[in-house]
């Protein structure tokens, strides 16, 4: 039986009782020439009380963090089928090559003549990504998907402002969209108009039509959507929104299901963002860093953030020439290390990227086949339709029958040595599990995962109380979230630890 | 075409799975896509075919050989990002597969390691900056600054932000972009030509104008000058009920006073100096913290907290998620989802390795190097340093040259294998032909001596 490591590892702050020799950087021959700190700085700017950070030796630090690492779970241990997160395998070649010191030690303000190699990588990546999504140009600057979305929303904003259409203050967002869509739209100063999903699992076109007006700035869509369903009437949607004077923004979080098969540009989208850490082999890092490339076509290209990388036939250069640009959405040129990984990913696969989408979609539908008919589980919306990158299961029936909910099922899954899917999302599905295997899971693993679901559901019908106790094989048991979030007991940093009472002091 | 990264890409398996689904070909899975939208040509991606691992490696190394890495001596270039040493331990820890191939820890029971590491990051940075709460990271210093200023607007509902002209121009541009279309106006405040610090008198005039949400300050600022009167600035700003957002350099805080102690309401920073490498500008991690826990509900981004599990054991989880986009949607405090967790963990490893003693020693040694460089450079005819005669410097120094164009001197240095300063004459014409140079633990005495003698040689026309 699987059991996760449990090291009972103390917090760093309690690790050492005695001061140990700490890391040092070597020779300080400067004091005799320039004097001491007191000679150089007025007392008021000098730190009055040293930060309370324990003084540990190297081996203590290494053991601490390696122990922590063992109380974690990533794609390199087993399936992480988080829907809309596209947790695919991160090829080790990418890690080896992008992790080299030659990249790490490049200063962003080095003369262009000394960074032609990395600029060429960035230029080619821009070009390949633009080709892949059917856009004219891409900018690599946004450091994550949400940042790409924000850049896109700002481009829509500025485009309308430049045309004197100040009144376009509404951005349409389907009710099944990723939460970052409405959040990004609101950050760019838009009013968010929610579009309902029809029973077919697609945008309700009549509802869409009824809200289109001279106030429409555009629509943010992901296709396939978060139900894993392809918006087959995308052509119509694009025509309607364009006719109303709005723009189409493509959320690239779900691109894996159509990679190289259909291009957002051909569907009528004007702006596209891509999640480098989802679709292009760069790891997620336990929550970043990622990269959120933003692409555009036609006149929208002029609105991309600056700089992009240009090529004048002889040399590569940072191009600040876009006069209508929204400006910088982040410092420098983007998260280069993940971007280089995406470059290597595409260099390796070449036009064969289509295989990624084909197998990812095949995996989703094979899983649906295996899970269909399991008591207590339903697949709402779009009855019988093939899904693309992901599928959303509902445990609504199971909850009604047994009192076991989607969260309990997730905890039972992690108790069996796999990671759980995204739960309670999209919001339009009750008791949701959003499952995305990507192309990286083998047939055996998909069958194993479906079998886990089947046996857990069986347990739920036999002995629901047992499932409420899960997980028991992970480093810790189920958490007290009330305690975690209550104003009197929340503990956002070490100094508040006493709020948890005496219990927190005993392990 | 089958590929070894894709287990089910074997034609046999594909066929078996297709059979199970009752379809003849995988393309039928895309039958709901309008035919005219299906890509019917080979996309122009990569080199037009799949490459083997060895081919990719060779191709990539050839590309990388077109970069010049400055190790000997390390870059003297400043401008907000400087060369610092990355201890071997840092790379070793963040290469752990359990860390880097994990997702955001949505399932806390199976993700305690990452959660504890991020909790430790938050606690270490809170200690370093002298504040109550720090979030689990922003993308980098520039977006942390923009988020902080937007947060201040949410806290006090005022519509004006004051930004001195001695801050990093790139960060300023990012802030500017982030306020596009929000109705918030950004006003600038000048700096004192003698100290390089914010002009307090002008600041007061602007504060008197009313409706100021916050004042943004960097220390050391873009010119490398420590904001010596930060405490006075904070007191003045608070008199007008505005908030102070301080962007402080984390590696300076072993020797310089913590911004929280000086009264900053929101602190931000870029963690790059804490062992993350320069990475041609990114990734880094953005630091964002608050001095008063009561502002916690306006905080953007992930926040990790401690709690207990069913058995009463200490455990960690994401807290106050109701602030975030996946729950609050258009009413969220920010759209941020993916942040920079792995880099945050890297900086936590770095700080643990240094300890309170190490971070103090390091800060002092950078300070001493800065002053050694000032002393050496100031001895050269035709070099004006410090440009701000009464300024107190840390790590970065603005250096002006009595030349037609700094560019020529810079290229001369480059020919000698030296990466000089970041030219700032365009953004700050009042400083003349000036650049910002940087001196860190990576620069030995002889590195600085070589820089000095090279500049001397070039200015002397030799």
């Amino acid at each position: 039986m699987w059991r996760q490591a449990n090291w009972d590892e103390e917090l760093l702050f309690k690790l050492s009782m005695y001061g140990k020799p700490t890391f040092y950087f070597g020779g300080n021959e400067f004091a005799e020439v320039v004097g001491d700190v007191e000679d150089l700085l007025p007392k008021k700017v000098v730190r009055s009380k040293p930060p309370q950070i324990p003084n540990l030796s190297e081996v203590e630090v290494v053991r601490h963090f390696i122990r922590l690492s063992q109380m974690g779970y990533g794609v390199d241990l087993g399936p992480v089928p988080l829907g809309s997160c596209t947790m695919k395998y991160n090829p080790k070649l990418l890690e080896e090559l992008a992790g080299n010191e030659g990249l790490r030690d490049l200063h962003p303000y080095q003369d262009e003549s000394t960074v032609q190699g990395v600029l060429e990588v960035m230029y080619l990546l821009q070009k390949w990504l633009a080709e892949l999504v059917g856009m004219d140009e891409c900018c690599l600057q946004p450091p994550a998907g949400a940042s790409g979305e924000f850049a896109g929303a700002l481009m829509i904003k500025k485009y309308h402002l430049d045309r004197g259409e100040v009144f376009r203050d509404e951005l349409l967002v389907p009710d099944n969209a990723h939460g970052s869509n409405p959040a990004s739209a609101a950050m760019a100063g838009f009013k968010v108009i929610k579009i309902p999903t029809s029973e077919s699992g697609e945008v309700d076109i009549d509802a869409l039509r009824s809200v289109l007006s001279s106030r429409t700035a555009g629509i943010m869509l992901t296709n396939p959507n978060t139900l894993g369903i392809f918006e087959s009437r995308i052509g119509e949607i694009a025509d309607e929104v364009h006719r109303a004077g709005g723009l189409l923004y493509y959320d690239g979080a779900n691109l894996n299901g159509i990679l190289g098969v259909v291009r957002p540009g051909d569907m009528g989208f004007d702006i596209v963002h891509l999640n480098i850490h989802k679709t292009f082999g760069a790891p997620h890092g336990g929550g970043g860093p990622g990269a959120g490339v933003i692409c555009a076509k036609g006149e929208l290209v002029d609105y991309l953030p600056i700089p992009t990388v240009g090529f004048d036939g002889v040399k590569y250069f940072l191009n600040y020439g876009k006069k209508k640009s929204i400006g910088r959405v982040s410092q420098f040129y983007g998260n280069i290390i993940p971007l280089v990984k995406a470059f290597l990913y595409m260099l390796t696969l070449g036009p064969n990227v289509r295989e990624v989408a084909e197998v990812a979609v095949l995996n989703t539908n094979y899983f649906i086949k295996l899970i269909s008919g399991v008591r207590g589980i339903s697949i709402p919306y779009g009855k019988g339709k093939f899904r693309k990158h992901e599928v959303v299961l509902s445990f609504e029936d199971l909850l009604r029958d047994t009192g076991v909910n989607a969260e309990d099922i997730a905890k039972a899954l992690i108790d069996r040595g796999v990671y759980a899917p995204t739960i309670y999302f999209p919001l339009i599905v009750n008791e949701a599990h959003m499952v995305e295997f990507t192309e990286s899971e083998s047939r055996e693993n998909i069958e194993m995962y479906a079998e886990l679901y089947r046996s857990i559901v069986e347990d739920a019908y036999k002995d629901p109380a047992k499932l409420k106790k899960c997980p028991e094989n992970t480093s810790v048991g189920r958490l007290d979230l009330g305690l975690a979030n209550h104003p009197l007991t929340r503990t956002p940093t070490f100094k508040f630890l006493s709020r948890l009472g005496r219990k927190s002091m005993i392990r | 075409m089958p590929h070894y990264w894709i287990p089910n890409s074997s034609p046999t398996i594909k066929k078996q799975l297709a059979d199970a689904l009752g379809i003849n070909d995988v393309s039928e899975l895309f039958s709901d896509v309008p035919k005219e939208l299906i890509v019917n040509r080979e996309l122009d991606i990569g080199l037009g075919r799949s490459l083997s691992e060895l081919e990719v490696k060779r191709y990539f190394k050839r590309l990388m050989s077109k970069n010049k890495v400055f190790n000997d001596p390390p870059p003297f270039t400043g401008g907000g990002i400087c060369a610092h040493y990355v201890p071997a331990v840092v790379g070793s820890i963040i290469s752990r597969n359990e860390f880097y191939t994990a997702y955001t820890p949505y399932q806390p029971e199976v993700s305690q390691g990452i959660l504890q590491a991020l909790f430790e990051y938050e606690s270490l940075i809170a200690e370093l900056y002298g504040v109550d709460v720090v979030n689990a990271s922003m993308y980098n210093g520039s977006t942390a600054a923009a988020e902080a200023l937007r947060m201040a607007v949410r806290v006090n509902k005022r519509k004006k932000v004051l930004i001195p002209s001695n801050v990093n121009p790139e960060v300023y541009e990012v802030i500017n972009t982030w306020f596009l279309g929000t109705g918030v106006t950004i006003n600038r405040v000048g700096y004192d030509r003698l100290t390089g610090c914010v002009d307090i008198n002008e600041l007061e005039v602007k504060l008197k104008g009313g409706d100021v949400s916050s004042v943004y300050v960097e220390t050391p600022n873009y010119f490398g000058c420590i904001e010596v009167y930060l405490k006075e600035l904070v007191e003045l700003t608070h008199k007008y009920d505005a908030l102070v957002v301080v962007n402080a350099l984390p590696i300076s805080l072993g020797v310089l006073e913590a911004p929280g102690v000086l009264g900053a309401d929101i602190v931000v920073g870029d963690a790059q100096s804490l062992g993350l490498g320069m990475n041609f500008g990114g990734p880094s991690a953005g630091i964002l913290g608050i001095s008063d826990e009561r502002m916690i509900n306006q905080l953007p981004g992930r926040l990790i907290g401690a709690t207990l599990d069913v058995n009463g054991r200490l455990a960690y989880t994401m807290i106050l998620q109701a602030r975030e986009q996946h729950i609050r949607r258009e009413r969220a405090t920010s759209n941020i989802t993916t942040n920079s967790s792995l880099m945050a963990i890297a900086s936590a490893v770095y700080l643990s390795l240094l300890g309170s003693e190490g971070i103090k020693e390091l800060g002092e040694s950078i300070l001493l190097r800065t002053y050694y460089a000032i002393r050496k450079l100031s001895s050269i005819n035709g070099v004006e340093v410090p440009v701000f005669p009464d300024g107190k410097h840390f790590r970065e120094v603005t250096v002006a040259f009595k030349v037609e164009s700094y560019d020529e001197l810079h290229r001369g240095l480059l020919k000698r294998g030296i990466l000089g300063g970041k030219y700032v004459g365009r953004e700050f014409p009042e400083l003349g032909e000036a650049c910002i140079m940087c001196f860190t633990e990576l620069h030995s005495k002889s590195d600085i001596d070589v820089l000095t003698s090279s500049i001397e040689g070039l200015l002397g026309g030799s």
Side-chain angles (χ1 to χ4, degrees):
Chain A
M1 191 182 64
W2 176 78
R3 269 190 187 279
Q4 190 177 28
N6 175 10
W7 285 100
D8 258 350
E9 184 65 8
E10 284 283 11
L11 271 168
L12 194 67
F13 298 88
K14 297 182 179 176
L15 264 188
S16 179
M17 298 169 63
Y18 315 100
K20 309 288 171 29
T22 58
F23 192 82
Y24 68 95
F25 296 87
N28 199 342
E29 62 270 46
F30 299 94
E32 56 197 55
V33 189
V34 295
D36 293 325
V37 175
E38 303 84 75
D39 306 328
L40 300 173
L41 297 181
K43 196 161 179 284
K44 60 193 287 196
V45 305
V46 178
R47 184 148 193 146
S48 48
K49 181 175 163 275
Q52 298 300 299
I53 300 173
N55 293 309
L56 303 168
S57 61
E58 181 166 320
V59 59
E60 289 171 297
V61 171
V62 169
R63 280 192 188 147
H64 175 69
F65 285 102
I66 297 298
R67 286 172 169 208
L68 292 188
S69 76
Q70 291 196 337
M71 297 189 282
Y73 197 99
V75 176
D76 281 357
L77 288 176
V80 182
L82 287 162
S84 285
C85 300
T86 315
M87 290 297 282
K88 62 173 66 180
Y89 172 65
N90 311 121
K92 299 310 150 202
L93 172 68
L94 279 48
E95 298 304 308
E96 181 184 319
L97 293 183
N100 81 59
E101 288 184 13
L103 275 169
R104 193 189 73 194
D105 293 344
L106 288 183
H107 194 292
Y109 291 138
Q110 280 191 216
D111 302 76
E112 283 170 1
S113 63
T114 66
V115 288
Q116 285 295 300
V118 70
L119 290 177
E120 185 172 345
V121 165
M122 293 164 72
Y123 178 81
L124 289 173
L125 181 61
Q126 285 175 186
K127 214 175 104 199
W128 295 345
L129 291 173
E131 163 81 351
L132 184 64
V133 296
M135 292 283 127
D136 292 330
E137 202 177 328
C138 295
C139 170
L140 309 177
Q141 188 176 64
S147 160
E149 286 179 32
F150 180 44
L154 288 175
M155 288 165 70
I156 295 174
K157 184 101 198 170
K158 190 154 188 299
Y159 172 82
H160 291 307
L161 288 179
D162 283 3
R163 293 160 57 96
E165 303 196 335
V166 199
F167 44 83
R168 293 198 182 271
D169 62 350
E170 294 180 348
L171 210 46
L172 317 183
V173 182
D175 58 1
N176 73 52
H178 300 116
S180 50
N181 286 183
S184 299
M187 276 176 77
F190 286 111
K191 192 175 159 213
V192 176
I193 307 290
K194 198 158 50 166
I195 310 293
T197 304
S198 72
E199 196 40 49
S200 67
E202 298 185 33
V203 167
D204 182 332
I205 300 237
D206 292 331
L208 172 71
R209 269 194 208 105
S210 72
V211 297
L212 286 173
S213 74
S214 60
R215 291 182 67 178
T216 304
I219 186 167
M220 297 179 91
L221 264 187
T222 179
N223 194 14
N225 62 30
T226 62
L227 296 166
I229 292 173
F230 190 85
E231 300 280 357
S232 59
R233 296 170 75 182
I234 183 62
E236 243 174 291
I237 296 173
D239 288 347
E240 295 272 2
V241 173
H242 280 149
R243 202 174 304 128
L247 297 171
L248 273 86
Y249 174 87
Y250 183 85
D251 171 349
N254 298 348
L255 185 73
N256 209 49
I258 56 164
L259 201 64
V261 180
V262 201
R263 307 191 307 166
D266 298 336
M267 296 182 214
F269 285 94
D270 303 292
I271 305 173
V272 172
H273 100 259
L274 298 168
N275 291 76
I276 290 307
H277 48 292
K278 292 182 177 176
T279 323
F280 299 96
H284 200 279
V293 177
I294 181 90
C295 311
K297 75 177 179 198
E299 49 182 328
L300 269 309
V301 163
D302 293 338
Y303 290 84
L304 285 170
I306 47 170
T308 53
V309 179
F311 181 55
D312 64 10
V314 182
K315 57 180 182 11
Y316 298 90
F317 62 98
L318 293 165
N319 181 5
Y320 291 91
K322 295 192 190 311
K323 292 276 177 285
K324 294 176 174 171
S325 168
I326 56 164
R328 288 181 198 272
V329 72
S330 180
Q331 64 194 15
F332 305 116
Y333 330 117
N335 279 347
I336 300 303
I337 306 297
L339 288 166
V340 166
K341 291 174 189 174
F343 169 82
L344 295 165
Y345 185 80
M346 293 181 80
L347 182 64
T348 303
L349 293 178
N352 201 22
V353 287
R354 190 186 180 116
E355 192 69 28
V356 168
E358 286 191 3
V359 174
V361 173
L362 194 55
N363 284 353
T364 305
N365 289 291
Y366 183 58
F367 173 71
I368 293 172
K369 177 87 187 165
L370 298 173
I371 205 84
S372 293
V374 174
R375 195 170 150 209
I377 302 180
S378 59
I379 300 177
Y381 294 101
K383 279 264 163 315
K385 276 190 189 176
F386 284 129
R387 297 316 202 248
K388 296 293 175 285
H389 63 298
E390 67 193 357
V391 59
V392 181
L393 313 178
S394 170
F395 290 89
E396 200 173 8
D397 297 343
L398 185 77
L399 176 63
R400 190 195 55 229
D401 296 348
T402 67
V404 170
N405 62 23
E407 185 178 18
D408 299 329
I409 301 288
K411 301 302 179 197
L413 284 165
I414 61 171
D415 218 11
R416 286 155 174 79
V418 296
Y419 207 84
T422 304
I423 58 174
Y424 296 108
F425 194 86
L427 305 175
I428 57 168
V429 173
N430 294 326
E431 300 300 320
H433 271 210
M434 189 191 214
V435 188
E436 179 180 10
F437 284 110
T438 80
E439 72 283 9
S440 301
E441 291 310 325
S442 65
R443 176 178 180 177
E444 293 87 338
N445 268 357
I446 294 167
E447 288 168 354
M448 176 268 291
Y449 210 94
E451 192 45 44
L452 285 179
Y453 264 125
R454 187 186 292 273
S455 74
I456 291 167
V457 166
E458 246 169 59
D459 286 352
Y461 278 101
K462 271 194 291 211
D463 185 4
K466 192 172 140 196
L467 286 180
K468 295 281 177 190
K469 287 194 196 125
C470 292
E472 293 176 318
N473 300 321
T474 47
S475 320
V476 297
R478 221 182 277 203
L479 303 186
D480 188 339
L481 296 180
L483 196 69
N485 290 293
H486 193 280
L488 294 177
T489 49
R490 69 187 175 209
T491 306
T493 43
F494 179 66
K495 71 190 249 191
F496 295 104
L497 210 55
S498 60
R499 284 184 180 173
L500 292 174
R502 282 184 50 226
K503 275 183 175 172
S504 69
M505 303 301 161
I506 311 160
R507 298 203 61 106
Chain B
M1 250 171 63
H3 194 274
Y4 52 86
W5 291 344
I6 312 174
N8 292 348
S9 62
S10 122
T12 326
I13 300 176
K14 278 177 92 171
K15 179 79 176 59
Q16 288 165 352
L17 300 190
D19 285 349
L21 296 176
I23 54 175
N24 293 315
D25 188 86
V26 177
S27 64
E28 287 175 42
L29 295 172
F30 297 92
S31 55
D32 47 355
V33 178
K35 261 199 189 56
E36 67 277 12
L37 293 183
I38 301 274
V39 174
N40 58 6
R41 63 177 172 90
E42 183 138 294
L43 292 174
D44 184 12
I45 291 168
L47 304 187
R49 62 176 178 87
S50 288
L51 262 57
S52 70
E53 181 160 322
L54 34 161
E55 287 173 312
V56 169
K57 204 175 263 194
R58 191 159 172 180
Y59 183 86
F60 184 69
K61 289 202 165 158
R62 193 183 304 146
L63 280 176
M64 287 301 100
S65 71
K66 298 181 194 174
N67 298 328
K68 163 119 181 77
V69 179
F70 293 85
N71 285 327
D72 190 18
F76 292 100
T77 317
I81 194 165
C82 299
H84 285 282
Y85 186 71
V86 180
V89 170
V90 176
S92 163
I93 301 288
I94 63 169
S95 305
R96 284 293 293 197
N97 308 49
E98 300 93 327
F99 280 145
Y100 84 78
T101 72
Y103 198 74
T104 303
Y106 284 139
Q107 295 293 339
E109 298 88 351
V110 74
S111 314
Q112 284 298 297
I114 277 195
L115 286 161
Q116 184 173 337
L118 289 173
F119 181 77
E120 290 175 345
Y121 160 83
E122 292 176 357
S123 303
L124 286 163
I125 299 289
E127 210 23 72
L128 199 57
Y129 279 74
V131 295
D132 272 2
V133 181
V134 169
N135 76 9
S137 77
M138 299 275 111
Y139 308 130
N140 54 48
S142 72
T143 68
E147 287 270 20
L149 296 173
R150 289 186 66 121
M151 175 179 166
V153 170
R154 287 195 299 277
V155 168
N156 59 22
K157 310 274 190 299
R158 296 180 173 195
K159 287 287 187 188
K160 234 187 265 170
V161 173
L162 299 184
I163 302 185
S165 51
N166 63 6
V167 306
N168 187 319
E170 251 190 64
V171 175
Y172 168 73
E173 285 179 40
V174 173
I175 293 169
N176 210 29
T177 305
W178 279 56
F179 274 116
L180 235 162
T182 56
V184 172
T185 33
I186 299 175
N187 289 343
R188 307 302 304 262
V189 178
Y191 62 88
D192 183 287
R193 192 60 183 75
L194 291 176
T195 61
C197 296
V198 178
D199 182 336
I200 300 272
N201 295 327
E202 195 186 330
L203 177 70
E204 179 151 30
V205 172
K206 297 270 162 77
L207 281 166
K208 275 185 182 150
D211 206 25
V212 174
S213 167
S214 67
V215 176
Y216 172 74
V217 197
E218 291 176 358
T219 186
N221 59 37
Y222 190 59
F223 301 138
C225 299
I226 300 163
E227 285 290 341
V228 179
Y229 306 101
L230 188 54
K231 193 153 185 263
E232 289 82 352
L233 185 150
V234 168
E235 282 163 8
L236 177 69
T237 307
H238 284 170
K239 239 172 54 187
Y240 293 88
D241 291 325
L243 300 171
V244 181
V245 175
V246 176
N247 187 339
L249 177 68
I251 210 169
S252 72
L253 295 177
V255 60
L256 299 185
E257 186 59 287
V261 173
L262 292 169
D265 300 290
I266 308 177
V267 298
V268 295
D270 192 300
Q272 180 264 333
S273 59
L274 302 179
L276 305 188
M278 295 186 287
N279 304 327
F280 199 48
S284 180
I287 291 165
L288 177 60
I290 47 175
S291 60
D292 184 346
E293 196 209 355
R294 282 173 296 181
M295 283 191 287
I296 203 166
N297 287 320
Q298 290 303 337
L299 199 66
R302 310 274 192 213
L303 192 59
I304 313 301
T307 185
L308 304 177
D309 80 348
V310 283
N311 305 311
R313 295 161 41 105
L314 186 60
Y316 307 90
T317 183
M318 297 200 281
I319 61 169
L320 304 181
Q321 293 191 58
R323 299 166 296 114
E324 293 188 57
Q325 48 77 30
H326 58 293
I327 294 175
R328 192 58 62 86
R329 298 177 79 85
E330 65 269 23
R331 295 191 314 281
T333 53
S334 169
N335 67 344
I336 190 163
T337 308
T338 292
N339 48 37
S340 207
S341 293
L342 194 67
M343 301 316 250
I345 292 175
S347 58
V349 173
Y350 182 87
L351 287 171
S352 329
L353 205 56
L354 264 65
S356 62
E357 270 173 31
I359 186 86
K360 179 166 185 276
E361 271 174 32
L362 176 59
E364 288 178 359
S365 89
I366 293 173
L367 179 76
L368 298 186
R369 280 167 164 84
T370 313
Y371 276 89
Y372 178 76
I374 290 174
R375 183 168 298 193
K376 289 290 288 188
L377 289 167
S378 64
S379 70
I380 307 171
N381 227 341
V383 176
E384 190 198 345
V385 63
V387 168
F388 307 98
D390 297 340
K392 301 294 171 196
H393 290 82
F394 183 89
R395 192 178 79 150
E396 289 173 84
V397 183
T398 312
V399 188
F401 301 88
K402 293 196 186 83
V403 289
E404 280 291 298
S405 109
Y406 168 73
D407 189 50
E408 199 180 319
L409 174 66
H410 187 88
R411 278 186 283 125
L413 287 172
L414 208 55
K415 273 200 194 118
R416 299 178 181 212
I418 297 171
L419 194 61
K422 158 94 169 79
Y423 179 63
V424 291
R426 210 170 299 112
E427 294 135 314
F428 301 94
E430 70 273 23
L431 302 180
E433 286 301 294
C435 73
I436 296 175
M437 289 193 163
C438 194
F439 305 95
T440 75
E441 74 282 2
L442 281 178
H443 298 105
S444 67
K445 204 169 179 179
S446 73
D447 288 335
I448 297 170
D449 293 347
V450 166
L451 172 73
T452 311
S453 60
S454 300
I455 292 176
E456 205 163 15
L458 287 162
L459 289 182
S462 62

